[in-house]
Amino acid sequence: MNVYKIEAGTAQHIGNRPEQTNRTALFTGARAPGYMMAVLADGVSGGSAASDQALLTAKQQFDLFKPGDDPSIERLQALLRDIVLETHAVLKLTAMTSTSEPHATFVGLVITPKGTAVWAHVGDSRLYRFVRAECVVRTSDVPYIEHLVGTDKLPLESAKNHRHSKLLFNVLGNSRKEPFVAVGHHENLAAGDTFLLASDGLWHFFTDAELGAVTSKNTPRQASELLINKAVERAQGKGGNCTMAIVKLVKPPKEVPNYTVERMRRAV
């Protein structure tokens, strides 16, 4: 198995909106040593209630997760699906006692101590995987459009316009339709792999190549500062909430042999 250490961070900017309705967080599993989870949710309506609930559910589910010796990719994907479906159920109940119907997008990533990454997404937030600066994975609406065409028997053009229909809108909390969860995975992670979870207020302003270049050349903190500043500049006062989580795999520092340390002490 390849050896690496994980550098990770999150960042947000409110943009020109009156309220920050995006949420993002990094978690370690209470019963899953060596596992980590990154989550991002974008509150589409109803303020931050939906995105807050997504993160709360993610933490609760991850804290209860017991992986065992070697959980299958399907089981890890099921964990992310359970987070989505439980959050969706809670949001629908909330809407019954509220004047608003809270909605949220979702992106979740789990990295195991054996070098496997599993992810899931709902809506127009995105997950990217870069190998150094090259974008090799970018989630999109394509699986959902194919689902609408294949399962709901919708014409292709109608499926492509799903964002304009309350019935077809793919979000957590939609009382008219269950969320469609797209999943993916990659095994044999190595130093040089980077994951970016981003709300539409961020990724809308960048090409894949730009995101890859910035994340590969900088620490997560440096990269997030550069990306937020550039997104705000390009938005020209019209940008929405801008949120991201960056998980970067890097080579661990080389240990200095004891005899070298001793020689250094003598020299001093």
Side-chain angles (χ1 to χ4, degrees):
M1 184 174 64
N2 290 305
V3 178
Y4 56 79
K5 72 169 186 173
I6 294 177
E7 295 180 350
T10 64
Q12 290 185 305
H13 190 278
I14 196 170
N16 72 330
R17 300 293 173 82
E19 180 185 1
Q20 175 60 266
T21 62
N22 295 177
R23 296 290 186 267
T24 186
L26 304 168
F27 301 124
T28 56
R31 304 182 182 186
Y35 286 71
M36 74 156 294
M37 175 184 285
V39 177
L40 183 147
D42 182 348
V44 180
S45 63
S48 62
S51 49
D52 283 335
Q53 183 61 52
L55 263 65
L56 176 62
T57 302
K59 186 178 189 312
Q60 290 174 337
Q61 290 285 337
F62 198 40
D63 281 346
L64 293 173
F65 178 65
K66 294 181 180 180
D69 292 336
D70 191 12
S72 66
I73 290 170
E74 290 75 18
R75 186 178 170 210
L76 294 168
Q77 290 173 340
L79 167 65
L80 293 171
R81 281 198 179 95
D82 288 346
I83 292 169
V84 168
L85 295 178
E86 182 173 334
T87 302
H88 176 66
V90 172
L91 294 180
K92 287 201 299 181
L93 289 173
T94 301
M96 296 175 62
T97 59
S98 173
T99 56
S100 64
E101 186 175 322
H103 293 158
T105 68
F106 175 87
V107 182
L109 168 72
V110 174
I111 294 181
T112 78
K114 292 191 175 182
T116 296
V118 174
W119 57 85
H121 95 279
V122 177
D124 62 2
S125 295
R126 296 285 181 257
L127 177 140
Y128 297 78
R129 175 177 164 252
F130 302 100
V131 177
R132 295 176 177 83
E134 180 184 1
C135 181
V136 293
V137 172
R138 180 184 191 270
T139 60
S140 70
D141 291 339
V142 171
Y144 183 53
I145 293 171
E146 292 175 346
H147 168 75
L148 292 176
V149 172
T151 304
D152 292 3
K153 307 302 180 183
L154 286 178
L156 181 60
E157 287 307 312
S158 298
K160 287 182 177 179
N161 291 324
H162 66 277
R163 289 193 184 89
H164 304 298
S165 168
K166 290 183 179 179
L167 178 61
L168 302 178
F169 198 32
N170 191 32
V171 288
L172 284 64
N174 187 349
S175 62
R176 301 167 182 84
K177 195 172 185 66
E178 293 295 294
F180 174 78
V181 187
V183 297
H185 73 277
H186 180 75
E187 299 177 84
N188 300 316
L189 294 173
D193 285 331
T194 297
F195 293 90
L196 169 67
L197 285 63
S199 67
D200 63 337
L202 176 77
W203 66 259
H204 176 77
F205 296 102
F206 298 97
T207 66
D208 296 355
E210 288 174 326
L211 293 172
V214 172
T215 55
S216 67
K217 295 177 181 178
N218 298 279
T219 66
R221 178 174 179 175
Q222 293 167 337
S224 61
E225 290 177 352
L226 289 168
L227 291 173
I228 283 179
N229 289 339
K230 183 57 69 173
V232 170
E233 176 188 323
R234 291 179 175 179
Q236 298 180 341
K238 299 179 181 179
N241 294 166
C242 177
T243 303
M244 77 191 81
I246 300 174
V247 180
K248 188 170 184 177
L249 279 53
V250 301
K251 291 182 179 180
K254 293 182 179 180
E255 294 184 2
V256 180
N258 290 335
Y259 71 86
T260 304
V261 173
E262 184 63 26
R263 287 177 181 175
M264 290 171 63
R265 288 175 179 169
R266 290 178 180 176
V268 172

